[in-house]
Structures are given as structure tokens and as C-alpha cells.
Amino acid sequence: MAELITHSLFSEIAALLILAGVVGMIAHLLKQPLVVSYIVVGILAGPAVLGVAQSEGPLELLSDLGIAILLFLVGLKMDYRLIRSLGFVSLTTGLGQVLFTSVFGFLIALALGFATIPSLFIAVALTFSSTIIIVKLLTDKRELDSLHGRVALGFLIVQDIVVVLAMVVLSTVGIGSTAEEEGTSITGALTAVAVMGGIVFLIVRYAATPLTRRLAESQELLILFSIGLAAVFAAVGEYLGLGLELGGLFAGVALASTPFRDSIGSRLAPLRDFLLLFFFIVLGAQLDLAILGQNIPAAMVLSAFVLIGNPLIVLIIMGLMGYRKRTAFLAGLTVAQISEFSLIFIGLGLTLGQVTEAELSLVTLVGLITIAVSTYMITYSHKLFDLFGPYLDFFERKKPEREEEDEQKARKEPPAVILFGLSRLGGALAHRLLEAKVPALAIDYDPTLVEQWQERGLDAVYGDASDPEHLAELPLESARLIISTISHHGVDITAIDSRLTLIRTLKAEKFEGKLAVTVYQHEDMEHIRTAGADFILEPFEDAADTTMELIQEQIAGLEGKSTDS
């Protein structure tokens, strides 16, 4: 079959994409995330099943780029100000979960017959939860800004920090263990880390913000620069012997303190998801189905540990810290799976010769099981709480002081109005919103305008209405009105128009408020109204009407004076 399909690299990639589309559609119908379908595609495309993936070099290149982008996006979250602002609860619970999972995971792996070093790798791999899956599921349920959603995001940041540290330690120890073959040592690896860290410090201190501010004037240029930076750092990391994973992390850290971090992250998310497909294809090509089958009993044991143990330890810690059982239960369910980082981590161990294909197959199988099951657990979390809630009183204090304190802190007024565009009409509206003290959030793709309005006291952020990923992250649940003052200068409005993208995305997100869209060309009105805008704003027509009223008043006044005389 492979010979009939893969006559060339292009046809091979085409076949892989078709296979990914078919499996992805099935996963979507089963309400499973893309990560699950990617793992399945990797297994199916490997030599053990269809044998479609044959061009090892090009596929590994795409896989490596995907890993570099993924780790770059992790590094983007490593802003020291964000880490410093981590709440005590997120830090304590996150570290508690990581410590619990790694210690008991290590003991379980030893009991299952794995050697010490492989058991350590397996245990650490089990500690990571999937940011992509958790954020997507909580966003779909409109629970990302809920108390348990915010605590879960805190877990993810803590786990990302652990990812960074684990990658550094793994690379350093891995290099040290192969010193004779590679001609280097742990001291050399630490020196390389210090060199990379020094470069990142200089970029953060002197270049990151002014450079990205200038690049942000063209969003395409900003994204191109970000991808290039990730690739260059990954190449440098590989050259220094640290691995492209650590290089990608350092590249993200270099831009983490810039005000354009979130925009870069949302723009690169689709590219990350696309390239990760090839990582899982390369991973699947390395799997032996016979070994995979032999690991089913061990995978079931470790999966049960992750699905039950991780939520349980979160429930215990949050209960002791003064949270209600409902909040602790819902937050705990979000860590009931391992992530794509787990597979990258164990894959790096395989590259360094610390683990074998048996451990790689085991962690891959655990990933399939836990991601698939936890997706349903998070989706139906409230029904699960109704089922188990009566038996969880033991985990709740009589007076949940911590949760009451957090609820008080979270009662700051959310934005009632979201305004897109800060030039001309948008700027005039922003000025009046500030004067009227209406809680508002403004978005514009001009970094200079954003900074100017921030200095005037407006809650303004850099972003783009044509980016669905960015739109989905906005506080839509609190907004009663969204106003778009964005103009469209194209000939055909049915082409790429950020206003139509905004309307479609808000529909997909089930936005319950009203949407007002500005139209500068009369012929665009019907398209905007048909797309679903609640109000049509015509600033030129409105200004002309107001001016005409003024003219008529003046004429009437002159005619009155003429009659009197």
C-alpha cells in the first residue's frame, strides 16, 4: 500500500494529511482533542500498520520544528513578573501534585519491574498535564475565568516551570553520562546553559521590548521573526549539545516579558498544532506494536494512578487550604491526564539512551488512555461532582476561608464593553468610555496606540480581531456590548475581512451580548447585517446627518432674522 501512495515526498505528505483529516474527524465526533488523533495517526502511519511514513529525514525536520515551536510557546509563559505573581495556592498545589505524582509514579514503575533510571523518566513524564487540552475544554465550557479555572491555570504555569527545569537537568545529565562519546562533560553542559542564559538576559534587558514594538507594526513580520528566533535558538541549543528543545525554551523566555507575548502565542498556536502532527508521526514510526501490546497491563495501572491519584491529591491539598469541595474537585479533574510534553520528555530520554522503546511505548499508551478519559471527565465535570459530591465532605473545612477570600479579590469589575480599534472613531469612543467610567477593554494592533491609551488609564491590549485564537481568550462572558470600529479597505468584503471573522468567532463562542460593527462603505452594510451584527454604525452618514441638522438650524435662524427685519 505504501508503494502505491508514497511515490514522492509530496504525495507522502498529502497521504499523511488526508489520514490525519479522517482520524481527526472521527476524534471530533467522539469529542476527543486533536492530540489523541495525532497519536493514533502516528501509530497508523508507522511501519507496523500502513507504512505511509517513509521519508524519515524530512518528517524529522518538520517534527523538530514543531517541538521547537511548542517549547518556544512554553518559554513565552516564563515572564518573571507572571511567575512572581503566582498565587500561594497555585504554587503549593502545583508543586504538591508534581511531587506526589513523581514520587509515587517512581515507586509504581519500580514495582512494575522497570529499572531505576527509566522509572525516574516515567515518573517525571506522568507529572505534566496538557495545557492545550485544559485551556480548550475550559474555554468551551466558559470556565476559564472561574475560580477553579484560574487555579488550574496556576497548576499549568507551575508545571511549565517544572518542564523547564526538567529539560535543563535532563540535557545536562544526559550530556554528562555520554561524556566519553561526545567529548564534553556536565561542566561543559552547565557552561552552555550559562551562555544561553546570558544571551537571553541581554535580549530581555536591552532588545526584546523595543525590537518587538517596532516589529509589531507589521504582524506578519513579528510572527516571522518569532519563528526565526525559535529556530535559531533551537539550532544553537543543538550545536551546544543541549538539544533543540532547550533552545526553543530559551527563545520563548527571551520574548516572555514583551507586551506582545500573548499575540505571538495565539498566532503561532495553529502552526504548533500542525507541526505537532509530524512529531507524532515520527513517534509512531518508532513504536513496535508488539511492545505496545505487552505494555497494556502496566499502562492500565499507571493510567488509573494518573486519572485517580492526581485529582485526589489536588482535592486533598485544596481542601486543607480552605477551598470548597466543589472547587477542589473541578480543579483536580483538569490534571487527570499526561500531555504532549510527556512524550517529548520521554522521547528526549530515548535520544540520550536513558530509556528504551518499551518505556516510550508505555508512556504513549498512558497518554492515549488518560487524555481520552480525562476529556470526558472535564466535559462532564459537574455531573461527576453531583455523583461523587455527597461523599467528599471529608475534604472540605467547615469554613472555607481561602475560597471566600479569593471570591472577594475576584470581584473587581469585569469589562462591560470590548472595543476593537483605537484610531479615530475608536479613540473618540474610548475617551467617552473613560469619562463615563464604563469598565471597558480595548484591543488594537498598533502598539503605539495601545501604550498611549494605557498611560491614560484605559485597559488596552495588543491584539487582532482577525485572530480567532486571540478572540476566544477575551472575557466574553462579562461583556454586554462589543464594538468594532475597524475599517476594511478591500474591494470585496466577502474576502478576508476581520469584521466577518469577529462575527463568526463570537457566534462560535456563543457570545450572549450585542455586537455593533462600523461600516464605512454603504455597500458593505448588507454583508455585515447578514453575517449577524446587531447594530450597524455608519460614522460618515451619522456625521452627515448631524451636520445637516446643524445647517438646517442655522438656515432657519437666518430666515427668522430676515422675517423680523
Side-chain angles (χ1 to χ4, degrees):
M1 179 179 178
E3 294 179 358
L4 294 176
I5 296 176
T6 56
H7 297 297
S8 67
L9 175 61
F10 186 85
S11 58
E12 181 179 331
I13 297 293
L16 291 171
L17 292 178
I18 291 172
L19 180 62
V22 172
V23 177
M25 179 61 70
I26 296 172
H28 178 70
L29 293 174
L30 295 174
K31 297 183 178 180
Q32 286 294 321
L34 277 178
V35 172
V36 171
S37 67
Y38 284 175
I39 296 174
V40 173
V41 169
I43 295 173
L44 292 177
V49 185
L50 299 177
V52 177
Q54 295 182 350
S55 303
E56 191 172 316
L59 292 178
E60 284 188 354
L61 176 62
L62 292 171
S63 170
D64 290 345
L65 185 57
I67 293 173
I69 296 296
L70 177 65
L71 272 298
F72 172 76
L73 294 180
V74 173
L76 275 180
K77 302 174 188 175
M78 296 295 106
D79 180 11
Y80 70 94
R81 290 167 297 188
L82 181 63
I83 296 172
R84 190 173 57 188
S85 67
L86 266 178
F88 178 72
V89 176
S90 295
L91 194 60
T92 303
T93 314
L95 290 177
Q97 178 264 317
V98 167
L99 185 62
F100 169 84
T101 305
S102 55
V103 170
F104 283 90
F106 176 70
L107 295 176
I108 293 172
L110 285 178
L112 290 171
F114 291 95
T116 302
I117 296 299
S119 295
L120 183 61
F121 272 84
I122 292 171
V124 175
L126 296 181
T127 64
F128 306 141
S129 302
S130 178
T131 302
I132 300 171
I133 295 172
I134 294 172
V135 170
K136 179 67 169 65
L137 292 175
L138 291 180
T139 299
D140 290 346
K141 296 179 67 180
R142 297 292 184 87
E143 294 179 2
L144 197 58
D145 291 321
S146 64
L147 181 55
H148 72 270
R150 295 196 305 272
V151 172
L153 288 180
F155 293 164
L156 297 175
I157 295 173
V158 172
Q159 288 185 358
D160 288 340
I161 296 172
V162 174
V163 166
V164 174
L165 296 176
M167 290 290 186
V168 172
V169 172
L170 174 62
S171 298
T172 304
V173 173
I175 290 171
S177 65
T178 56
E180 293 182 2
E181 298 178 11
E182 303 292 336
T184 185
S185 63
I186 292 181
T187 303
L190 291 174
T191 302
V193 170
V195 169
M196 293 280 285
I199 295 173
V200 169
F201 173 78
L202 292 175
I203 292 175
V204 172
R205 181 71 178 83
Y206 298 106
T209 299
L211 180 59
T212 53
R213 183 183 290 113
R214 186 65 181 271
L215 291 169
E217 295 174 2
S218 169
Q219 294 191 39
E220 292 82 1
L221 191 58
L222 178 62
I223 299 306
L224 182 61
F225 168 77
S226 301
I227 296 172
L229 187 70
V232 167
F233 266 74
V236 172
E238 193 170 38
Y239 175 77
L240 294 176
L242 297 175
L244 58 91
E245 296 86 357
L246 205 57
L249 273 171
F250 276 119
V253 173
L255 300 184
S257 60
T258 68
F260 313 105
R261 175 190 65 206
D262 294 335
S263 179
I264 293 171
S266 63
R267 284 282 188 172
L268 287 182
L271 177 62
R272 170 204 64 197
D273 296 342
F274 173 72
L275 291 175
L276 274 182
L277 168 65
F278 297 99
F279 164 73
F280 287 109
I281 288 173
V282 172
L283 178 70
Q286 297 176 322
L287 296 177
D288 186 333
L289 288 187
I291 298 177
L292 200 65
Q294 293 171 5
N295 280 321
I296 289 178
M300 297 299 292
V301 173
L302 291 174
S303 297
F305 167 65
V306 172
L307 290 167
I308 299 173
N310 280 0
L312 185 62
I313 191 62
V314 170
L315 184 63
I316 292 172
I317 295 174
M318 290 186 67
L320 291 174
M321 297 184 71
Y323 282 88
R324 295 188 180 96
K325 59 182 181 180
R326 180 184 183 85
T327 302
F329 180 83
L330 296 178
L333 290 183
T334 62
V335 293
Q337 87 283 118
I338 66 172
S339 76
E340 60 282 356
F341 288 116
S342 305
L343 303 180
I344 291 174
F345 183 82
I346 205 75
L348 186 56
L350 180 66
T351 302
L352 294 173
Q354 302 294 323
V355 300
T356 66
E357 289 186 10
E359 289 79 33
L360 176 66
S361 299
L362 173 65
V363 174
T364 302
L365 200 52
V366 172
L368 270 174
I369 296 170
T370 57
I371 293 173
V373 175
S374 68
T375 297
Y376 294 118
M377 290 169 64
I378 297 173
T379 301
Y380 301 105
S381 57
H382 296 283
K383 292 182 179 179
L384 286 174
F385 178 78
D386 292 339
L387 182 63
F388 293 105
Y391 308 102
L392 301 178
D393 292 338
F394 175 78
F395 299 102
E396 183 178 84
R397 288 185 179 182
K398 291 183 179 179
K399 185 173 175 58
E401 302 93 346
R402 176 77 66 174
E403 181 155 340
E404 292 174 358
E405 290 177 9
D406 285 355
E407 288 174 344
Q408 289 291 336
K409 293 177 183 177
R411 282 177 184 170
K412 67 176 185 178
E413 204 167 5
V417 176
I418 297 178
L419 174 66
F420 284 93
L422 284 170
S423 61
R424 297 185 180 181
L425 177 61
L429 288 174
H431 177 69
R432 284 157 179 77
L433 288 169
L434 276 177
E435 283 187 335
K437 296 183 179 178
V438 176
L441 171 66
I443 297 102
D444 199 285
Y445 59 81
D446 185 339
T448 304
L449 273 178
V450 169
E451 290 182 1
Q452 289 174 354
W453 281 101
Q454 286 175 341
E455 292 172 359
R456 297 175 65 175
L458 181 69
D459 186 6
V461 296
Y462 177 82
D464 184 5
S466 64
D467 182 3
E469 294 281 342
H470 175 67
L471 295 175
E473 294 174 359
L474 297 175
L476 301 177
E477 64 281 349
S478 67
R480 302 273 60 83
L481 176 65
I482 292 179
I483 305 172
S484 169
T485 66
I486 302 166
S487 61
H488 179 73
H489 303 292
V491 177
D492 181 9
I493 190 177
T494 58
I496 300 175
D497 184 347
S498 58
R499 293 174 297 182
L500 296 179
T501 301
L502 174 63
I503 295 171
R504 291 165 186 152
T505 303
L506 292 177
K507 280 185 176 181
E509 295 296 324
K510 297 181 174 60
F511 174 61
E512 298 176 355
K514 299 295 183 181
L515 173 62
V517 179
T518 303
V519 172
Y520 294 93
Q521 298 176 5
H522 191 72
E523 56 268 25
D524 292 349
M525 185 183 299
E526 190 58 35
H527 291 291
I528 296 296
R529 182 179 286 111
T530 303
D534 297 291
F535 305 107
I536 304 293
L537 306 179
E538 293 185 280
F540 294 144
E541 296 292 331
D542 295 340
D545 290 341
T546 303
T547 304
M548 194 63 201
E549 291 175 4
L550 178 61
I551 291 171
Q552 290 173 340
E553 288 176 4
Q554 294 301 314
I555 292 174
L558 290 173
E559 290 177 348
K561 289 181 181 180
S562 176
T563 303
D564 292 340
S565 62

